[in-house]
Amino acid sequence: MRMTTRNQRCVLCLVGLVALGSCKSGSAPSASRLNLLLVTIDTLRADRLGCYGYSQIETPNLDKIARQGVLFENAVAPAPLTAPSHASMMTGVYPTVHKVRNTGGFVLSPSEPKLSKILQDQGWDTAAFIGSSVLKGRFGFNQGFAVYDDEMPTSASASALAEPERRAGEVVDRAVKWLGAQSGKPFFLWVHVYDPHIPYDPPDPFREKYRDRPYDGEIAYTDQQLGRLFDTVARKSRPENTLIAVLSDHGESFSEHGEYTHGVFLYDTTLRIAFLMAGGPIPAGLRVKQQARTIDLLPTVLELMGGKAPPGTQGTSLAPAFRGKEVPTAYSYAETLFPKF
């Protein structure tokens, strides 16, 4: 999609671009031994973070990541749904290629090259800690992870709209524990937190502080918990030895364009995402205006590690943008199959 207005984008189906991914094969060349921390925050609107200009919230830990590295001002997802967007992050291709077209009912193919599998095959310790059942291992997201912690509470949620989930605090607790016992080899750690997703129910003191804006309270609470994770990683590994990537998978609509949450329509409210990177060779305090896409995560990470993306990857490395160069990201494809179900 080409950037148009802040409220609406022209969604273009790029048939030629999609076709490039159909012959994907092989694996990436050897990468240098940087650690990688990937944090994905479910249902986070970019315009609800301090570093994106929102003054009514406290997100000091995510704002610090932005100051220490790069913030992509115009980042977009390929679908306003959790599973397709995450699959694109992990594979560098659009939903039309990896075939995860909706949340639930689709399984990520073992034959699809993934960031986790590439790094695991080259000797990285790999672990994932998941905040919601929508990314259960049975949907194929566990491929390439030696540890895939997707255990959810057994009690049913009080809301019929909610998937089984666990708070960011528990997810971070488990990730921190794993880091404490980790072997010392280079690691790839993925932490997925689900709290900003409906129902908005932040714990105290965020419930009281943001009582009129519980969605913001969920984000502020998530930021607090991620601060513990970032501190643990910083104690374990020097910043120059660790890449940190933070992305939301999609946004939230709040009744804009007639949609209360997300999944039905393709507007900025649900397609625009937060995208931050820091550590390793990434320069500090950089803001990139060029469009960035979730499919660009894999090739960017691998280039920063000294490797290359597998053949057929539809994303492109954003690393040249750190040096002020143009990157071919002006167009993006987006879709939703949610209304069909």
Side-chain angles (χ1 to χ4, degrees):
M1 59 193 67
R2 183 179 293 278
M3 299 296 294
T4 54
T5 69
R6 293 181 64 87
N7 296 318
Q8 183 175 9
R9 301 179 193 275
C10 178
V11 179
L12 303 177
C13 181
L14 304 181
V15 176
L17 182 60
V18 170
L20 288 175
S22 62
C23 59
K24 189 171 207 175
S25 62
S27 60
S30 179
S32 62
R33 314 300 281 180
L34 291 174
N35 301 310
L36 173 60
L37 170 63
L38 171 62
V39 174
T40 59
I41 306 174
D42 219 288
T43 323
L44 170 63
R45 285 177 60 132
D47 62 5
R48 294 301 179 99
L49 294 179
C51 54
Y52 278 89
Y54 187 51
S55 61
Q56 300 182 60
I57 199 169
E58 294 181 3
T59 52
N61 296 296
L62 292 169
D63 297 349
K64 183 178 179 181
I65 296 297
R67 291 194 304 271
Q68 291 175 337
V70 60
L71 178 150
F72 296 98
E73 294 184 356
N74 297 296
V76 292
L81 298 163
T82 298
S85 184
H86 278 88
S88 288
M89 293 180 206
M90 294 298 181
T91 63
V93 299
Y94 287 116
T96 49
V97 176
H98 61 59
K99 305 300 184 185
V100 179
R101 309 296 291 276
N102 202 346
T103 296
F106 293 85
V107 177
L108 188 56
S109 170
S111 64
E112 195 67 47
K114 304 165 193 67
L115 182 59
S116 52
K117 194 69 170 63
I118 290 168
L119 294 180
Q120 184 183 55
D121 287 348
Q122 295 183 23
W124 266 251
D125 280 345
T126 56
F129 297 86
I130 304 303
S132 168
S133 63
V134 297
L135 293 178
K136 277 279 192 177
R138 67 175 180 268
F139 299 121
F141 291 95
N142 61 343
Q143 297 164 33
F145 288 103
V147 173
Y148 196 85
D149 187 331
D150 60 358
E151 181 183 352
M152 297 298 140
T154 55
S155 59
S157 170
S159 171
L161 296 174
E163 300 284 349
E165 64 175 289
R166 51 188 180 182
R167 288 198 188 273
E170 182 178 351
V171 177
V172 169
D173 283 347
R174 294 181 180 225
V176 165
K177 183 178 180 180
W178 180 84
L179 281 167
Q182 194 262 339
S183 68
K185 294 195 304 181
F187 62 81
F188 171 26
L189 172 61
W190 171 28
V191 175
H192 165 257
V193 287
Y194 196 69
D195 299 74
H197 197 283
I198 198 170
Y200 315 131
D201 181 32
D204 287 328
F206 301 95
R207 178 183 289 111
E208 178 61 24
K209 185 170 184 177
Y210 295 92
R211 61 184 178 274
D212 297 325
R213 293 176 286 122
Y215 174 78
D216 290 1
E218 293 269 34
I219 295 169
Y221 162 69
T222 297
D223 178 89
Q224 180 201 61
Q225 296 304 311
L226 291 177
R228 298 194 295 118
L229 176 65
F230 297 147
D231 288 346
T232 302
V233 170
R235 288 193 298 269
K236 185 175 181 65
S237 174
R238 296 173 62 86
E240 59 266 29
N241 296 329
T242 302
L243 290 175
I244 298 176
V246 181
L247 297 87
S248 44
D249 60 346
H250 55 76
E252 191 77 313
S253 198
F254 298 126
S255 298
E256 296 164 90
H257 311 291
E259 181 177 29
Y260 181 62
T261 56
H262 59 270
V264 177
F265 299 129
L266 301 176
Y267 291 99
D268 273 9
T269 51
T270 57
L271 290 180
R272 188 179 175 220
I273 60 169
F275 191 167
L276 313 171
M277 295 188 74
I282 297 173
L286 184 65
R287 298 179 75 96
V288 172
K289 292 185 180 296
Q290 297 180 69
Q291 183 167 250
R293 308 159 303 180
T294 56
I295 60 169
D296 300 324
L297 175 67
L298 179 147
T300 302
V301 165
L302 291 178
E303 179 172 334
L304 293 171
M305 289 181 165
K308 277 188 175 182
T313 300
Q314 294 176 299
T316 189
S317 174
L318 300 168
F322 305 163
R323 305 185 293 274
K325 296 184 178 181
E326 290 290 322
V327 288
T329 61
Y331 293 94
S332 183
Y333 170 87
E335 69 171 31
T336 179
L337 269 64
F338 183 80
K340 295 182 68 174
F341 288 80

